[in-house]
């Protein structure tokens, strides 16, 4: 049984132009904190500035696996998902609606805490447009929440004593009223 | 993103989740003002952050760019009709249009101003601060009965207000450095307001321009009228007389309701006894007056020209523009915008009194077919489109008590399309409009 199913695309039976393009496209390999390994298409990888700088600045060969110790596997999945879509939409003339629909789906199953973690990751990886989008998404989710929720989310301790708290609250008491606290 | 990796490492980290401060600033700057005023109770650090001018500036930058997209954020001077049952007169106040929803806001400390007893002018709005000039004839307490001058018969207020933070302040009254005789004649008071944020984001300047008879004792025919100004700067909290004055010869009248402030310059229309018209200007930054000459075809006042006396100076692509109705083209009237070019090469020379006289080039731009807009009243401009209400603007704005709903439209001259942006604003009438952005600026 000698015919090995060779995954190397250059021996593929199809000879159409799209397949030819796919062969040439290089892959960049990264490893996240939890040991997961990801193969990224070069054009997607180059959207992530920290990866781009790593390989281009010192002309490091694509054979090297880049470690990303501050990134979890699930975060990498989401980042790749967003950047891939971004690259795809770059070539489209009017992708506004499609982008909006994609963005809504993207955040759908993520808790606010996860969104926040992802924001941190986007900052570390240096993907500006993803960072902007995530900051906006987080602010949307917290804008109607109360002070306790926000403290818990960001892990911030209350360093006001009772008297001080009442004082600062009195600066704008109306801001604490009429909150549409959506269950989350 | 151009930040280098070393910069990311240097950022300070806040507690458990390790959110760097720059990220926190990004997230918070996208929040509406009400949320931020609540979250300043989260911790001392957050409290200090939301009050810092760095944060206030970032918040403003973000919200300014947001309102620049498809849906305008506008503040309207408007009136709210009373209920039939209460037989209330229409209240004066503001309407805020944001995300295609209209909210009526009464004036702080003066929620019950009505059309019959008060005059309210929206002087301007900049960086989230709104400046209004109120003349209230009903709710005043007279202190001196003896004086004949107008001041004791009504209360005049200069109000700076941030509708988002609900802070407001009444500014002290300026004093005129002119003789009592001149003061009685003093008319044509104009105001302009602008934020002058060279160093401090919260700094603003207000100017009050007024005119009076000649200072020259030999000028008995009152041939020359002098325009003077006083400025108020937030950081000094006081009024100061401006050195420059404008001596305008053969003056007949000025049209206060036509005044407009654009890029820190106040413009207004005047006419001489010979019916020759000019535009006068005062620059808030340089504190200098100048006289601007108009193109010949619109230089002479046509007595029937409604536009000249009451229609404000508009702007087109950042330059002042005069709107006239042009009947010349085959009898069909058009609305034409004459736009002033503000390039440096426009000729200017100084007249005998030392006032700069400018003769810039005026170009006819934007012709709107009058028929398209028949039945609509133009109240302002948003970017390159025009704002219309579905009724002709009343000559005496808000004079009627009727409560027919008004629609608000945006008309785009390039595509010749109208888009309704507010449907049936019940009981609200729109009088004047300014661009508005939510901000944390202190008053």
């Amino acid at each position: 049984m000698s015919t090995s199913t060779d995954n190397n695309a250059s021996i593929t039976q199809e000879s159409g132009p799209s397949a030819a393009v796919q062969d040439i496209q290089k892959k960049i390999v990264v490893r996240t904190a939890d040991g997961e390994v990801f193969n990224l298409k070069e054009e997607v990888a180059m959207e992530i500035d920290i990866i781009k700088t790593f390989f281009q600045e010192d002309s490091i060969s694509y054979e090297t696996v880049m470690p990303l110790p501050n990134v979890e596997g699930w975060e990498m999945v989401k980042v790749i998902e967003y950047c891939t879509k971004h690259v795809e939409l770059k070539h489209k003339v009017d992708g506004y609606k499609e982008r909006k629909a994609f963005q809504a789906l993207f955040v759908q199953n993520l808790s606010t805490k996860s969104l926040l973690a992802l924001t941190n990751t986007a900052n570390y990886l240096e993907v500006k447009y993803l960072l902007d989008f995530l900051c906006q998404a987080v602010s949307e989710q917290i804008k109607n929440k109360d002070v306790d929720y926000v403290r818990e989310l960001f892990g911030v301790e209350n360093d006001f004593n009772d008297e001080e708290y009442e004082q600062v609250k009195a600066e704008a008491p109306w801001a604490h009223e009429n909150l549409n606290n959506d269950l989350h | 993103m151009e930040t280098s990796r070393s910069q990311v490492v240097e950022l300070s980290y806040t507690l458990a989740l390790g959110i760097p401060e720059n990220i926190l600033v990004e997230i918070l700057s996208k929040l509406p003002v009400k949320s931020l005023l609540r979250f300043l109770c989260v911790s001392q650090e957050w409290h200090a952050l939301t009050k810092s001018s760095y944060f206030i500036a970032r918040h403003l930058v973000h919200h300014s760019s947001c309102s620049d997209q498809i849906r305008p954020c506008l503040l309207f001077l408007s009136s709210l009709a009373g209920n039939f049952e209460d037989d209330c007169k229409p209240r004066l106040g503001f309407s805020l249009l944001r995300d295609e929803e209209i909210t009526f806001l009464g004036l702080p400390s003066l929620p019950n101003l009505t059309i019959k007893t008060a005059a309210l002018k929206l002087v301007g709005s900049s960086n989230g601060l709104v400046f209004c000039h109120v003349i209230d004839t009903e709710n005043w307490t007279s202190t001196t009965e003896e004086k004949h001058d107008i001041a004791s018969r009504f209360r005049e207020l200069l109000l700076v207000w941030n509708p988002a933070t609900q802070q407001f302040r009444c500014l002290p009254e300026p004093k005129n450095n002119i003789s009592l005789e001149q003061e009685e004649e003093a008319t044509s008071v104009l105001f302009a307001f602008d934020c002058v944020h060279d160093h401090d984001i919260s700094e603003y300047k207000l100017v009050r321009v007024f005119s009076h008879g000649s200072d020259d004792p030999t000028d008995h025919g009152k041939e020359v009228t002098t325009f003077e100004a006083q400025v108020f700067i937030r950081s000094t909290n006081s009024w100061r007389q401006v050195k420059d004055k404008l001596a305008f010869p053969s003056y007949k009248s000025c049209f206060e309701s036509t005044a407009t402030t654009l890029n820190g310059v106040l413009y207004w229309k005047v006419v001489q006894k010979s019916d020759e018209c000019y535009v006068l200007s005062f620059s808030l930054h340089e504190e200098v007056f100048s006289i601007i000459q108009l193109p010949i075809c619109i230089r002479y006042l046509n007595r029937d020209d409604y536009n000249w006396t009451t229609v404000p100076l508009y702007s087109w692509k950042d330059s002042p523009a005069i709107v006239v109705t042009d009947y010349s083209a085959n009898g069909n009237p058009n609305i034409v915008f004459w736009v002033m070019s503000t390039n440096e090469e426009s000729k200017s020379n100084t007249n005998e009194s030392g006032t700069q006289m400018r003769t810039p080039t005026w170009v006819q731009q934007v012709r709107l077919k009058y028929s398209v807009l028949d039945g609509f009243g133009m109240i302002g401009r948003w970017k390159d489109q025009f704002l219309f209400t579905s009724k002709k603007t009343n000559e005496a704005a808000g004079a009627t008590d009727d409560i027919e709903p008004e629609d608000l439209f945006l008309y785009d001259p390039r595509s010749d399309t109208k888009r309704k942006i507010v449907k049936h604003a019940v009981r609200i009438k729109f009088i004047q409009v300014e661009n508005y952005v939510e901000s944390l600026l202190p008053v």
Side-chain angles (χ1 to χ4, degrees), chain A residues 49 143 151 159 171 179, chain B residues 1 35 38 41-42 44 51:
Chain A
D49 277 4
K143 73 182 181 192
R151 280 194 192 122
D159 52 358
E171 286 180 28
L179 303 179
Chain B
M1 195 148 118
S35 309
R38 184 167 64 246
C41 293
V42 165
Q44 308 243 10
K51 302 262 181 219

Side-chain angles (χ1 to χ4, degrees), chain A residues 49-50 53-54 57 113 116 119-120 123 126 128 131-132 135-136 138-139 142-147 150-151 153-160 164-165 168-169 171-172 174-179, chain B residues 1-5 8 11 13-20 22-24 26-28 30-35 37-47 51 62 66 70 163-166:
Chain A
D49 277 4
I50 198 180
T53 317
F54 179 83
E57 224 168 50
K113 262 218 150 78
L116 205 50
T119 308
N120 218 2
N123 182 45
E126 297 174 36
K128 182 154 187 6
L131 179 61
D132 277 346
C135 286
Q136 180 69 45
V138 171
S139 81
I142 66 173
K143 73 182 181 192
N144 286 326
K145 297 289 195 276
D146 63 16
V147 173
V150 168
R151 280 194 192 122
L153 176 68
F154 286 89
V156 176
E157 257 186 58
N158 177 13
D159 52 358
F160 287 121
E164 288 166 342
Y165 181 80
V168 287
K169 189 170 170 192
E171 286 180 28
W174 53 271
H176 295 254
E177 294 158 22
N178 294 329
L179 303 179
Chain B
M1 195 148 118
E2 312 297 9
T3 47
S4 64
R5 274 178 287 165
V8 171
L11 291 166
Y13 281 71
T14 61
L15 300 177
L17 260 183
I19 306 289
N22 74 322
I23 302 299
L24 186 63
E26 283 309 302
I27 295 173
L28 295 182
K30 292 169 170 35
L31 285 170
V33 169
K34 182 177 171 185
S35 309
L37 291 177
R38 184 167 64 246
F39 296 159
L40 54 80
C41 293
V42 165
S43 74
Q44 308 243 10
E45 187 193 343
W46 282 43
H47 185 261
K51 302 262 181 219
H62 172 78
C66 265
I70 313 167
T165 63
Q166 297 194 7

Side-chain angles (χ1 to χ4, degrees), chain B residues 127-188:
Chain B
N127 288 352
L129 293 178
V130 176
F131 203 97
C132 1
H133 179 221
V134 186
I135 298 178
D136 180 10
T137 54
E138 194 169 61
N139 302 310
W140 59 277
T141 51
S142 95
T143 47
T144 49
E145 300 278 350
E146 312 92 46
K147 277 199 231 157
H148 288 299
D149 58 325
I150 286 182
S152 64
R153 282 192 264 128
F154 59 80
R155 187 164 73 147
E156 191 176 343
L157 281 180
L158 302 169
L159 198 68
V160 179
W161 179 36
N162 182 330
T165 63
Q166 297 194 7
Q167 284 185 326
F168 68 94
R169 177 148 78 111
C170 294
L171 296 194
E173 276 178 47
K175 293 211 172 5
N176 291 335
N177 285 354
I178 50 182
S179 72
L180 210 58
E181 185 188 274
Q182 284 174 327
E183 184 165 334
E184 270 174 34
E185 292 171 14
T187 51
S188 318

Side-chain angles (χ1 to χ4, degrees), chain B residues 62-101:
Chain B
H62 172 78
H63 286 269
S64 301
S65 63
C66 265
S67 63
D68 226 7
Q69 275 146 36
I70 313 167
R71 296 187 297 190
C73 185
L74 300 164
L75 189 71
F76 296 88
L77 175 65
S78 49
S79 67
L80 179 72
N83 297 317
F84 253 148
E85 310 91 58
D86 297 341
D87 189 32
C88 274
K89 311 262 180 352
R91 279 170 57 196
L92 272 177
F94 293 95
S95 301
L96 183 62
L97 171 68
R98 186 167 47 207
D99 295 334
E100 300 188 357
E101 271 188 39

Side-chain angles (χ1 to χ4, degrees), chain B residues 121-126 131 190-196 205-209 256-268 279-285 312-316 318-321 381 432-435:
Chain B
K121 180 162 196 279
L122 172 57
V123 171
S125 173
S126 178
F131 203 97
L190 306 153
F191 287 96
F193 164 71
D194 203 14
C195 285
V196 281
K205 196 179 206 178
L206 176 72
V207 73
R208 175 177 177 267
V209 171
E256 293 139 46
S257 60
T258 67
T260 298
T261 306
L262 181 66
N263 292 337
V265 181
L266 171 66
Y267 298 95
W268 68 102
V279 168
L280 301 182
S281 75
F282 179 81
S283 156
L284 270 87
H285 298 275
L313 282 151
Y314 280 99
S315 63
W316 183 254
D318 250 12
S319 298
R381 190 185 62 83
Q432 209 187 324
V433 66
E434 284 283 330
N435 266 318

